[in-house]
Amino acid sequence: MERREECLNLSPTARIINSVASQEAALACILNAECAKLHKAVCMARSVQELNAINGTLVELIEAVTQLENQLRLKLELAVNR
């Protein structure tokens, strides 16, 4: 509860920066989980087609994460340059 109260006492800019940091941490968790899943899938793949399918899924994830990263960067730039 103290952490929540501390966050409520932050300036709007600090809240935005805190929000970006939280979202970055969440993206890091997603990428770590995907890395573990990818490693296991590569070890279990039985064909080049399966590896291509895995690669396609990974490319989609990386593109989505890149878009989110760009949005977070813009959000952070707007907050800092207020």
Side-chain angles (χ1 to χ4, degrees):
M1 189 72 158
E2 289 179 25
R3 172 115 168 100
R4 184 171 173 8
E5 290 173 7
E6 287 174 9
C7 288
L8 292 175
N9 291 329
L10 295 174
S11 70
T13 301
R15 284 186 192 182
I16 292 171
I17 293 169
N18 190 32
S19 167
V20 169
S22 294
Q23 292 170 340
E24 290 286 355
L27 287 174
C29 288
I30 290 168
L31 290 173
N32 276 334
E34 196 64 25
C35 181
K37 191 169 84 174
L38 176 65
H39 180 70
K40 189 170 188 174
V42 167
C43 291
M44 295 176 65
R46 294 169 293 190
S47 68
V48 173
Q49 289 80 11
E50 287 182 2
L51 290 172
N52 281 333
I54 293 166
N55 185 57
T57 302
L58 185 60
V59 166
E60 289 174 10
L61 175 76
I62 291 172
E63 287 173 350
V65 169
T66 300
Q67 289 177 358
L68 288 169
E69 286 288 343
N70 285 331
Q71 291 174 357
L72 289 174
R73 181 182 49 81
L74 290 173
K75 182 178 177 180
L76 190 58
E77 286 175 2
L78 286 172
V80 171
N81 294 326
R82 287 177 107 186

